[in-house]
Amino acid sequence: MTMKIMPLVLGAAVALAATAANAGTLDDVKAKGFVQCGVSQGLPGFSNPDDQGNWTGLDVDYCRALAAAIFNDPEKVKFSPLSAKERFTALQSGEIDVLPRNTTWTMSRDTALGLNFVGVNYYDGQGFMVRKSLGVASALELSGANVCTNTGTTTELNVADYFRSKDMPYQIVAFEKADEVVQAYDAGRCDVYTTDASGLYAQRLKLTNPDEHMVLPEIISKEPLGPVVRQGDDEWFNLAKWVHFATINAEELGVTSANVDEMKNSETPSIKRLLGTEGEYGKAIGLDNDWAYNVIKHVGNYGEIFERNVGPSTQLGIARGLNALWSKGGLQYAPPVR
């Protein structure tokens, strides 16, 4: 999801001013006693509050993993719900410490906004959802459609590219907030709802009659989603990266929240390094040596996080697919701890 030209330019200016002022994020986080995480305004499976304000989701678990690594307490997190338009300014200005808000890693964001992408915690792609009653089986049958989506995202640009390349006319109907898009689509103001495919499955749960809608088979873009931090603070960037990598390495090594205590006795060198029983890898990122142990103990490995939030046993029912480990046919791969 990409910002429009004007916000991009303004965002870059804000970033230049904010970068120097926000170095030392880890010290600031330790001093205030919690991680301030920017998340969506409610996307089931990724970052979504219940009626009591308890947040759950794949992105939420990344925030909890950061807190577990720093404080040995996954609850030391505060969440800032942000619209797509608000998210980058919130990070650039220092309002939040990290932005794990199902945000697509693009060149312009990586190079012009004063931001660094930590990695990819979910490989996604843009899709289309329609009412089954429309009788459409393919996106190639959407000529002349009214298309609902979020403003300030890459989805508008992807839709333009797709329809132009297929020589199909269309009309965009854009809203700032995701729930506004859902309501407009549910009310019949548009024929099609487009966003990342995972978002379509998640938002379908909010429709009046979810079973009356279907996601079409076409995926029209690459949407590598991942957490983002400010440029200019390498210590925080390194910590944020390695918390993500630790969850992937743990899955690859068979270390889970259930067996991590037993695994601390393992003689396997890669497990010993990950769990801090060999080497001094915590010091390099400003933490204790059991930082990864705390992440896995409290939050679990990547596979556990995926299954708990978006996997086949959840309402979203998403298969691992591209998000499987590299050793199992997917793209999830982490550098080794050594």
Side-chain angles (χ1 to χ4, degrees), residues 107-337:
M107 181 176 178
S108 59
R109 289 171 176 173
D110 200 16
T111 59
L113 294 182
L115 306 176
N116 281 327
F117 280 79
V118 167
V120 179
N121 68 346
Y122 191 91
Y123 288 95
D124 211 339
Q126 185 175 335
F128 299 100
M129 180 164 64
V130 298
R131 290 170 183 77
K132 292 178 181 176
S133 60
L134 202 60
V136 169
S138 166
L140 295 173
E141 301 171 43
L142 295 178
S143 181
N146 292 317
V147 181
C148 273
T149 192
N150 267 100
T151 189
T153 68
T154 52
T155 56
E156 289 181 271
L157 305 177
N158 293 334
V159 165
D161 288 348
Y162 182 77
F163 278 79
R164 186 182 302 119
S165 69
K166 305 301 180 187
D167 196 24
M168 298 192 303
Y170 74 105
Q171 180 67 42
I172 200 76
V173 184
F175 301 86
E176 181 177 339
K177 296 181 179 179
D179 279 348
E180 293 174 340
V181 185
V182 175
Q183 290 166 11
Y185 171 75
D186 204 20
R189 292 184 58 185
C190 46
D191 309 303
V192 185
Y193 179 14
T194 184
T195 188
D196 297 345
S198 63
L200 293 177
Y201 285 104
Q203 301 291 30
R204 186 169 63 172
L205 301 176
K206 298 179 180 179
L207 299 177
T208 304
N209 296 298
D211 292 340
E212 295 181 359
H213 305 264
M214 61 183 288
V215 178
L216 297 177
E218 287 85 357
I219 297 294
I220 65 167
S221 69
K222 293 186 293 185
E223 305 292 338
L225 311 180
V228 194
V229 296
R230 289 178 289 276
Q231 280 183 0
D233 188 347
D234 286 351
E235 181 184 50
W236 184 245
F237 181 36
N238 287 338
L239 191 162
K241 281 189 296 185
W242 280 96
V243 166
H244 170 60
F245 292 152
T247 63
I248 296 172
N249 278 321
E251 183 182 9
E252 184 175 339
L253 294 169
V255 182
T256 69
S257 56
N259 69 15
V260 67
D261 288 310
E262 177 186 348
M263 286 291 194
K264 286 194 87 171
N265 299 318
S266 171
E267 292 301 321
T268 302
S270 53
I271 294 177
K272 291 168 71 74
R273 291 191 290 269
L274 176 67
L275 299 183
T277 59
E278 180 179 298
E280 297 289 341
Y281 298 99
K283 289 182 179 177
I285 53 174
L287 300 178
D288 295 334
N289 223 29
D290 55 0
W291 64 279
Y293 166 85
N294 293 332
V295 169
I296 300 160
K297 180 69 176 179
H298 291 297
V299 184
N301 67 36
Y302 181 79
E304 292 178 278
I305 294 169
F306 186 97
E307 295 300 326
R308 179 167 63 238
N309 293 301
V310 300
S313 64
T314 68
Q315 282 188 303
L316 273 66
I318 299 175
R320 284 293 291 270
L322 294 177
N323 291 291
L325 294 177
W326 68 282
S327 55
K328 296 183 178 179
L331 298 177
Q332 290 295 351
Y333 183 101
V337 177

